[in-house]
Amino acid sequence: MSFQDLPEDWEYEWLLDPTITADVVDLFARESDRRANTLLLLLTDRCGRLVQPVAISDMRWGCSEEERERAFDWLRHFSTGAEEDEAIEGAVIAFCHRQPRIRNSDLRWAETAQRRLDAMFIELLGCYVAHSAGVRRIDLDEENVA
């Protein structure tokens, strides 16, 4: 599937359905983002609806745990401690790169994201890899690496 398969009213949908969420990631992860090693965060409200997409390019996927943690620390300013109408309560994360597979570094980033978001009381609604051939969901409970 791709962003062309999204229902007309997708922006009112919760980002809980992995198929719809993968299509939304496909919509926001531009081809240039996939070439630029971009960390894509789709921030949601308490209902799981998209509030704000954030794209950070030129990521170093092979960095240390400490560097991965810092990539998420800015979110604490928008978690449940923020004003209620500004609070981010969920996030979908995508690692955009050229390789059409889930790599070990993607799994390390997903695990770090899970820990950091849990500490900020932000629900991780899903992790994905967006590459030139499409979008794949990372399931931290299964073997993902191709």
Side-chain angles (χ1 to χ4, degrees):
M1 297 194 58
S2 75
F3 69 89
Q4 296 165 335
D5 299 316
L6 281 168
E8 269 187 47
D9 62 347
W10 70 266
E11 66 270 16
Y12 301 108
E13 296 288 327
W14 290 24
L15 294 181
L16 301 176
D17 178 334
T19 302
I20 288 177
T21 304
D23 290 345
V24 173
V25 167
D26 193 42
L27 176 66
F28 282 96
R30 301 172 304 176
E31 196 59 40
S32 60
D33 292 328
R34 298 170 201 219
R35 288 190 305 270
N37 291 325
T38 299
L39 174 62
L40 176 67
L41 298 101
L42 302 177
L43 306 178
T44 70
D45 63 12
R46 75 174 68 96
C47 297
R49 291 183 303 245
L50 180 64
V51 173
Q52 181 68 49
V54 176
I56 305 168
S57 61
D58 299 320
M59 297 299 294
R60 285 188 34 235
W61 301 124
C63 64
S64 70
E65 171 76 13
E66 183 179 325
E67 291 171 297
R68 291 192 306 270
E69 288 177 353
R70 280 198 307 261
F72 299 105
D73 284 348
W74 61 274
L75 285 170
R76 73 180 181 278
H77 299 292
F78 302 98
S79 64
T80 53
E83 294 293 324
E84 189 169 322
D85 60 340
E86 298 173 357
I88 298 301
E89 296 198 19
V92 172
I93 297 175
F95 312 112
C96 307
H97 53 70
R98 296 178 185 176
Q99 282 147 39
R101 60 187 172 88
I102 297 172
R103 306 168 306 176
N104 285 324
S105 60
D106 300 322
L107 295 175
R108 286 191 301 274
W109 272 89
E111 291 165 353
T112 299
Q114 181 72 67
R115 281 193 305 277
R116 298 306 291 163
L117 270 59
D118 282 351
M120 292 180 260
F121 303 101
I122 297 173
E123 183 178 1
L124 180 59
L125 301 175
C127 282
Y128 295 80
V129 169
H131 49 77
S132 57
V135 174
R136 290 187 59 190
R137 184 173 186 272
I138 297 173
D139 186 343
L140 290 172
D141 296 327
E142 295 180 10
E143 183 63 37
N144 292 281
V145 180

